[in-house]
Amino acid sequence: MSASREKKTRQGSTYAQRRNNKAEEKSSRMHVVYGVVGVVIAVLAIALLVWDSGFFQKRTTAVTIDGEDFTPAVVQYYYHNAMTETLYYAQMGMNTGFDSSVDPKDQVKDEESGTTWYDYFLDQGLTSLTQVTMLNHAAEKEGYTLPAAGQAYVDASIEQTAQSVRASGYSSLEHYLRTNFGSYMTEKLYKEILTAQTIATYYQQDHQDNLTYSDEELEAYYQENKNNLDTFNYSVFTVQASIETTTTDEEGNSVDLTDEEKQAAFDTAKAQAQATAQEIQNKLAAGSDAADLAEEYSDKVYSSTVHQSQMGSSFSSSSYAEWLYDAARQAGETTIVENDQSDSYVFNYYVVQIDSRTRDESATADVRHVLVSAGSNPTDEQFAQAEEKAQSLLDGWKAGSADEESFAVMAVQNTADRGSQSSGGLYTGVSRYDGFIEDFTNWCLDSSRQPGDTGLVKNTGSSTQGWHIMYFVGWNDPAWKVTAKNALASEATNEWAEGLYGDVEAQQGSGIQYVK
């Protein structure tokens, strides 16, 4: 091969190699591009899945209060509670104007301002969250810690909720929480929210309980509010005039009376009721005992309560309160007070007699109790089972530290009285005017009671019957003083709390959009 031919061959070979190298480089670049695109698609797919899971949303800040950030799940909880409260009012017969079948964002609550129900629920929820937050911050600064009864209340509330939701068909507590408070809610967060609320409640109550007032301050309050604080012993007979607005024809059909017929029947009923009321008043004025008249006229009066003792605050809204409050009243005086019930064709005549008006100086009692339920209409066997359980709980408590704090924890964990559960079964200032069952009141006010006394009291007179495990905390002031102190302390505590959170605003963040 000649030199020139060899050179051409080498040149051809070099060109081919370059062409092949370029093809390989292009192919390599395409593989890189496809690889990058694949990675991007995979990342986007993962990001979409993560987004749909709420990973990012539930970590956003919905509001910031006093430097503390809150996620959408927390705000959703308070939003939901505000809406539930409105629904409860509607169930109680109040016309709230809210339609639960329509999205709150699509319902205008206030036409003038354009505020929707969503705006209203959110505002109410944020107000509650702000109050709880600021009370928690104040408690933390003061070094306040939740007492054992408070922590027991949190745990008991969660357990009671879990039992309730299982009975309602939810598969788990988590299922219930997500259904009612949104997909971002967890059991852990739910417990944190309940704990914060409980700390706020206990801390505020503790602040109120530690306020003290001088005898001069309490006396001054009494002089301004003696109508509410005095004890009245009186009798009242309610004679009611009412009519049926329909009648039955010869064929058994219901027929509405005409307006003229209704009015004529109502006038007759009022005349008869007034005559009965006058008879009762005349007999009272002549010296007949109210108890005897209650029996004599049992089939003619709508209701009667004789020789009852009540603090004036308990009947302040009644039609006859003004008459009883009159300082000129003398023992044995009687009157008839008329009251239109605002219902069509219903009219009441109240025959009232005052026996006495005093400022009761007898001591009241502070007690704790645990109500062991036997049911709403229990058998003797169910009562016996409840008594056995009550005695077992009491014996178990006595075998432990047997102090007030441990009794409070026992009450939180076992009582059927939901009204006193959060306070560890505590009732302060128990008097004969509070409406407790007689055996309960008698045990509390037994003059021989000493702090730390315990016992069992049978309950046959309330909607939930059973046995009370009793613990006597100690004697307290007369009822009027207890009421006066509570009123003054409540007002002062409200002012104190308002100072903590009144001017604090919840700053909304991007996460607020996930509250719905």
Side-chain angles (χ1 to χ4, degrees):
M1 180 180 298
S2 66
S4 60
R5 183 177 178 82
E6 184 178 359
K7 182 178 181 181
K8 289 181 179 180
T9 301
R10 286 199 304 271
Q11 289 175 341
S13 175
T14 299
Y15 174 77
Q17 289 176 356
R18 289 175 178 173
R19 186 176 59 187
N20 289 339
N21 288 342
K22 288 181 179 181
E24 290 176 1
E25 289 175 2
K26 182 177 181 181
S27 176
S28 177
R29 286 197 299 271
M30 292 303 295
H31 279 301
V32 171
V33 171
Y34 291 145
V36 170
V37 171
V39 169
V40 170
I41 292 174
V43 169
L44 289 174
I46 293 173
L48 184 60
L49 290 173
V50 173
W51 181 266
D52 288 341
S53 72
F55 179 85
F56 294 114
Q57 298 96 316
K58 68 183 180 183
R59 285 167 172 76
T60 58
T61 296
V63 296
T64 300
I65 302 172
D66 195 35
E68 183 175 356
D69 295 335
F70 294 94
T71 63
V74 176
V75 178
Q76 181 71 45
Y77 171 87
Y78 284 92
Y79 172 91
H80 177 272
N81 281 355
M83 181 166 62
T84 300
E85 184 177 29
T86 296
L87 292 173
Y88 173 78
Y89 289 148
Q91 290 175 351
M92 293 298 102
M94 294 179 60
N95 182 19
T96 64
F98 175 63
D99 185 351
S100 60
S101 67
V102 179
D103 190 327
K105 291 183 177 180
D106 296 332
Q107 296 185 67
V108 176
K109 184 180 186 300
D110 188 323
E111 294 289 348
E112 184 176 347
S113 64
T115 300
T116 65
W117 277 98
Y118 173 85
D119 298 328
Y120 173 76
F121 294 145
L122 182 60
D123 180 68
Q124 294 296 107
L126 292 181
T127 296
S128 296
L129 176 56
T130 300
Q131 293 173 353
V132 169
T133 301
M134 297 310 297
L135 285 166
N136 272 258
H137 287 183
E140 185 177 0
K141 290 178 183 177
E142 195 175 307
Y144 178 86
T145 56
L146 192 62
Q151 188 57 58
Y153 177 70
V154 173
D155 296 336
S157 296
I158 293 175
E159 178 56 30
Q160 288 164 5
T161 301
Q163 293 176 0
S164 176
V165 301
R166 284 194 292 269
S168 300
Y170 291 94
S171 60
S172 64
L173 177 59
E174 188 87 14
H175 178 205
Y176 164 81
L177 294 176
R178 291 181 179 276
T179 300
N180 289 276
F181 301 116
S183 59
Y184 310 144
M185 181 61 72
T186 64
E187 289 186 39
K188 179 175 180 293
L189 181 57
Y190 180 63
K191 184 173 183 177
E192 290 175 359
I193 293 172
L194 288 184
T195 300
Q197 289 180 313
T198 305
I199 289 174
T201 299
Y202 270 69
Y203 175 61
Q204 182 165 331
Q205 187 62 52
D206 188 65
H207 175 88
Q208 179 169 326
D209 291 343
N210 285 316
L211 295 176
T212 59
Y213 297 91
S214 67
D215 287 341
E216 290 75 18
E217 289 174 307
L218 295 176
E219 181 66 31
Y221 184 87
Y222 166 78
Q223 293 299 332
E224 295 177 1
N225 300 274
K226 59 174 59 179
N227 282 342
N228 287 328
L229 300 181
D230 275 348
T231 298
F232 295 77
N233 190 283
Y234 66 99
S235 300
V236 57
F237 297 80
T238 304
V239 186
Q240 187 174 91
S242 62
I243 63 168
E244 295 292 337
T245 58
T246 60
T247 187
T248 304
D249 63 17
E250 295 178 354
E251 298 178 355
N253 299 315
S254 179
V255 179
D256 289 335
L257 296 177
T258 65
D259 290 342
E260 291 77 10
E261 290 172 328
K262 292 175 185 177
Q263 190 59 52
F266 189 49
D267 289 342
T268 300
K270 285 178 65 177
Q272 292 172 343
Q274 186 178 35
T276 300
Q278 191 64 63
E279 282 181 25
I280 296 173
Q281 185 190 24
N282 291 340
K283 290 184 178 181
L284 285 171
S288 295
D289 185 75
D292 294 335
L293 292 177
E295 183 176 353
E296 179 182 346
Y297 285 86
S298 60
D299 61 340
K300 295 183 179 181
V301 300
Y302 180 76
S303 65
S304 61
T305 306
V306 299
H307 303 310
Q308 66 173 343
S309 292
Q310 295 286 338
M311 288 188 70
S313 57
S314 66
F315 58 81
S316 59
S317 61
S318 68
S319 301
Y320 45 82
E322 185 176 352
W323 184 83
L324 286 172
Y325 288 157
D326 190 334
R329 292 280 81 80
Q330 297 294 317
E333 275 192 74
T334 65
T335 192
I336 296 177
V337 178
E338 298 181 2
N339 175 241
D340 187 343
Q341 292 295 291
S342 299
D343 296 330
S344 297
Y345 308 109
V346 177
F347 197 93
N348 284 343
Y349 295 91
Y350 299 104
V351 184
V352 189
Q353 181 178 53
I354 186 169
D355 297 329
S356 64
R357 172 178 180 165
T358 60
R359 186 170 85 171
D360 191 346
E361 297 288 352
S362 58
T364 61
D366 295 344
V367 300
R368 291 187 185 272
H369 81 115
V370 182
L371 174 58
V372 178
S373 173
S376 58
N377 187 26
T379 62
D380 290 342
E381 182 181 359
Q382 289 171 319
F383 265 123
Q385 292 172 346
E387 183 181 16
E388 183 179 355
K389 180 180 178 181
Q391 187 63 58
S392 176
L393 286 170
L394 180 57
D395 291 342
W397 171 78
K398 288 181 177 179
S401 57
D403 55 16
E404 183 182 352
E405 183 178 34
S406 61
F407 191 97
V409 171
M410 179 174 68
V412 168
Q413 294 172 337
N414 296 279
T415 191
D417 178 14
R418 296 292 174 255
S420 67
Q421 182 186 22
S422 64
S423 65
L426 180 65
Y427 284 116
T428 60
V430 175
S431 72
R432 296 200 178 276
Y433 321 124
D434 291 329
F436 292 112
I437 62 170
E438 185 176 2
D439 289 344
F440 184 97
T441 301
N442 288 342
W443 190 95
C444 295
L445 299 181
D446 186 330
S447 60
S448 67
R449 285 281 159 256
Q450 297 292 323
D453 282 356
T454 59
L456 299 182
V457 173
K458 191 174 184 179
N459 181 337
T460 60
S462 61
S463 57
T464 300
Q465 300 178 29
W467 285 86
H468 295 278
I469 309 173
M470 306 297 297
Y471 179 93
F472 189 78
V473 177
W475 291 105
N476 205 333
D477 290 325
W480 75 265
K481 271 193 175 182
V482 172
T483 303
K485 178 185 175 182
N486 287 342
L488 290 169
S490 178
E491 182 179 357
T493 300
N494 288 338
E495 292 178 0
W496 165 79
E498 182 67 23
L500 291 177
Y501 50 69
D503 296 327
V504 178
E505 292 187 9
Q507 303 296 323
Q508 297 186 15
S510 61
I512 201 71
Q513 63 184 305
Y514 305 121
V515 177
K516 48 190 168 183

